């Protein structure tokens, strides 16, 4: 029975962020079809921020009407919405409507909002439900939550998106004596399976999560423990959690809400920090979440696509894999030194600066058209995500051990950073158009 509960807890965690993570890793294929093109990620960051309405409403209900809102009812609802949204996305993701004289991906944006609403709300409902079980199963749940980002990334790599070639085409000009006009265009090879199949796969993962939840909800209550035996500090303090780019009550804000939800009794007094140290800690929260959830995801297409669709695909997929790996490392290697975290943040900011610089130089970034350039941009995104993900977890651990109010302010600071980052980049990308797209095959860059 214990093994069965572990399997169910892991499967239940799959539904936490699988939809949003799946969208991000599938973007390299979607941007070539939808009319927004390279601007699509900047739209997604704003939509996911708006979806934080879900956890906000749940939190208000718990505060204003304690005991009235049942987690299992909310979970049934959001998982059902998630399954339906994934199915609808498979059928309507590429449908467009004319707004203000131009085609827009209205259906894609609306469905994405509901998917984001599901995933954001899961951060404040899944863990409170899991607290009905012994603490050992909480760790298994977090493994499943990490897999919600890992599995879509692996499947997207197996999909084989991103293989392109430059093709010469000729077109007859005038009569036959005038000769032919030659042009070069980018031709993307078909993936191993379509985007529709990928979205059905996401729906299947959501179904697995719902089935696991139904089974867990019907377990004999003899497996439940009293409140004081749930989630010891040693477990809750290292719970990693997955946060996705783009996203959201993702990142440390999601982690902090989970940690706060796990607290059924006052935390013990944590280590003392000076005012300057606390200011620095909250600055890290704001900056790291602003960079990972707003600033950089908005320009990922501009930094990677000039190197080819394959580089973009690898950077998106491997970054989703780097996140849970970094969180797992944080479980076994915890360094709470503010000096170390500051240095690690500076290193991650360096990778972020390189990514932003390449986006600003689009369509002619450094080493464009070379294997070295492609490798560097992919590794830069990989280490950017990994280093700052580690910082997110460790800062959350520090604040969690300090006090419950510190966790509340952690969530607020994380949300402020994510919101400021996405709101800042949206007009720069979509209104002022400071970033320029280009065709990998036709763009002529100076040597």
């Amino acid at each position: 029975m214990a093994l069965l509960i572990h399997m169910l807890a892991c499967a239940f965690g799959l539904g936490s962020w699988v939809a949003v993570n799946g969208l991000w890793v599938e973007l390299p294929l979607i941007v070539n079809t939808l009319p927004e093109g390279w601007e699509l990620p900047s739209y997604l960051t704003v939509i996911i921020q708006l979806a934080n309405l879900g956890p906000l409403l749940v939190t208000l209900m718990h505060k204003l009407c304690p005991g009235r809102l049942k987690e299992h009812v909310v979970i049934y609802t959001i998982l059902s919405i998630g399954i339906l949204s994934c199915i609808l996305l498979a059928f309507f993701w590429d449908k467009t409507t004319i707004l203000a004289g131009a085609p827009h991906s209205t259906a894609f944006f609306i469905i994405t909002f509901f998917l984001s609403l599901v995933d954001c709300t899961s951060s404040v409902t899944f863990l409170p439900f899991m607290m009905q079980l012994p603490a050992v199963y909480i760790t298994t749940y977090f493994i499943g939550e990490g897999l919600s980002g890992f599995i879509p990334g692996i499947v997207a790599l197996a999909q084989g998106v991103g293989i392109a070639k430059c093709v010469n085409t000729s077109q007859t000009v005038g009569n036959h004596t005038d000769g032919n006009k030659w042009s070069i265009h980018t031709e993307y090879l078909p993936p191993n399976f379509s985007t529709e199949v990928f979205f059905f796969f996401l729906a299947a993962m959501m179904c697995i999560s719902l089935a696991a939840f139904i089974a867990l909800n019907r377990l004999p209550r003899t497996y439940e423990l009293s409140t004081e035996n749930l989630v010891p500090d040693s477990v809750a303090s290292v719970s990693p959690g997955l946060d996705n780019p783009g996203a959201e009550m993702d990142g440390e804000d999601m982690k902090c809400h989970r940690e706060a939800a796990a607290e059924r009794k006052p935390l013990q007094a944590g280590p003392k920090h000076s005012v300057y140290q606390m200011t620095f800690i909250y600055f890290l929260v704001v900056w790291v979440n602003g960079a990972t959830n707003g600033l950089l995801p908005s320009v990922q297409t501009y930094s990677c696509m000039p190197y080819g669709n394959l580089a973009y695909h690898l950077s998106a997929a491997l970054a989703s894999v780097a996140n849970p790996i970094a969180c797992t490392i944080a479980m076994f290697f915890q360094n709470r030194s503010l000096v170390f975290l500051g240095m690690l943040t500076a290193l991650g900011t360096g990778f972020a600066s390189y990514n932003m610089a390449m986006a600003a130089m689009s369509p002619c970034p450094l080493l464009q058209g070379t294997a070295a350039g492609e490798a560097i941009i992919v590794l830069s995104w990989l280490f950017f995500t990994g280093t700052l993900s580690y910082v997110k977890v460790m800062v959350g651990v520090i604040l969690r051990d300090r006090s419950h109010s510190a966790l509340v302010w952690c969530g607020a600071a994380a949300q402020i950073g994510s919101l400021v980052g996405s709101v800042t980049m949206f007009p720069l990308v979509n209104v002022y158009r400071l970033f320029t797209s280009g065709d990998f095959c036709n763009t002529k860059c100076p040597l």
Side-chain angles (χ1 to χ4, degrees), residues 34 36 128 393:
L34 297 185
E36 288 77 14
V393 175

Side-chain angles (χ1 to χ4, degrees), residues 6-20:
H6 277 296
M7 295 175 62
L8 292 176
C10 183
F12 177 49
L14 288 177
S16 56
W17 284 93
V18 64
V20 168

Side-chain angles (χ1 to χ4, degrees), residues 17-355:
W17 284 93
V18 64
V20 168
N21 288 326
L23 283 178
W24 280 104
V25 299
E26 192 70 1
L27 271 184
L29 183 60
I30 296 175
V31 295
N32 294 321
T33 303
L34 297 185
E36 288 77 14
W38 290 21
E39 299 174 358
L40 194 61
S42 63
Y43 283 94
L44 289 186
T45 56
V46 175
I47 291 173
I48 296 172
Q49 288 298 320
L50 294 176
N52 281 315
L53 177 66
L56 176 61
L57 291 177
V58 171
T59 303
L60 289 177
M61 283 293 294
H62 280 300
K63 293 292 184 181
L64 300 178
C65 305
R68 297 284 297 276
L69 189 65
K70 305 299 182 182
E71 272 85 13
H72 69 278
V73 175
V74 179
I75 294 173
Y76 275 125
T77 303
I78 63 175
L79 285 177
S80 300
I81 293 175
I83 295 171
L84 179 61
S85 298
C86 287
I87 294 174
L88 291 176
L89 202 60
F91 289 104
F92 300 105
W93 72 273
D94 57 349
K95 307 301 181 183
T96 60
T97 56
I98 303 298
L99 297 175
H104 290 281
S105 309
T106 310
F108 179 79
F109 290 149
I110 293 175
I111 299 174
T112 297
F113 171 78
F114 282 100
L115 283 176
S116 303
L117 191 67
V118 169
D119 288 6
C120 290
T121 308
S122 73
S123 64
V124 293
T125 55
F126 281 21
L127 188 60
F129 169 79
M130 285 300 300
M131 290 177 64
Q132 301 178 38
L133 298 177
V136 63
Y137 301 115
I138 302 293
T139 303
T140 310
Y141 164 79
F142 282 120
I143 293 175
E145 191 175 76
L147 291 176
S148 71
F150 181 80
I151 293 178
I154 297 300
V155 173
L157 289 176
Q159 191 178 11
V161 180
I163 303 177
K165 61 180 180 180
C166 300
V167 179
N168 285 323
T169 58
S170 62
Q171 182 179 4
T172 303
V173 180
N175 55 43
H176 294 286
T177 60
D178 294 332
N180 295 332
K181 179 181 179 181
W182 291 88
S183 63
I184 301 177
H185 71 277
T186 304
E187 181 178 296
Y188 295 99
L189 300 183
N192 295 327
F193 51 88
S194 66
T195 300
E196 290 79 7
V197 173
F198 183 83
F199 288 142
F200 279 122
F201 170 77
L202 297 183
M205 291 188 66
M206 296 289 289
C207 289
I208 292 174
S209 179
L210 178 59
F213 171 70
I214 294 173
L216 286 172
N217 200 36
R218 296 185 177 182
L219 281 176
R221 294 311 181 187
T222 54
Y223 289 93
E224 298 181 8
L225 293 184
S226 60
T227 299
E228 58 269 21
N229 291 329
L230 297 175
V231 196
D233 290 350
S234 60
V235 174
S237 64
V238 298
S239 299
L242 175 67
D243 44 296
N244 197 18
E248 36 220 0
M249 192 159 288
D250 238 350
E252 201 52 54
D253 46 344
M254 183 183 72
K255 171 182 170 55
C256 292
H257 275 275
R258 287 200 310 258
E259 299 275 12
E263 297 303 318
R264 298 289 184 88
K265 58 182 180 179
L267 290 171
Q268 298 178 350
K272 299 296 182 181
H273 294 91
S274 67
V275 175
Y276 297 105
Q277 288 176 322
M278 290 303 299
T279 302
F280 177 70
I281 289 173
Y282 282 114
F283 169 77
L284 290 182
V285 175
V286 173
W287 168 246
V288 168
N289 281 274
T292 56
N293 298 342
L295 294 174
L296 272 300
S298 299
V299 297
Q300 188 170 14
T301 44
Y302 295 93
S303 68
C304 298
M305 286 290 279
Y307 296 99
N309 197 267
L310 179 59
Y312 179 31
H313 180 61
L314 289 176
S315 67
L318 294 180
S320 69
V321 173
N323 196 292
I325 291 177
C327 292
T328 303
I329 293 175
M331 292 182 65
F332 301 99
F333 174 71
Q334 294 193 20
N335 191 329
R336 306 187 186 197
S337 168
L338 296 184
V339 175
F340 174 77
L341 295 179
M343 294 175 60
L344 202 60
T345 301
L347 179 62
T349 302
F351 291 119
S353 301
Y354 179 83
N355 298 338

Side-chain angles (χ1 to χ4, degrees), residues 403-421:
S403 68
H404 181 272
S405 62
L407 288 174
V408 176
W409 285 107
C410 172
Q415 190 59 26
I416 290 173
S418 302
L419 180 62
V420 171

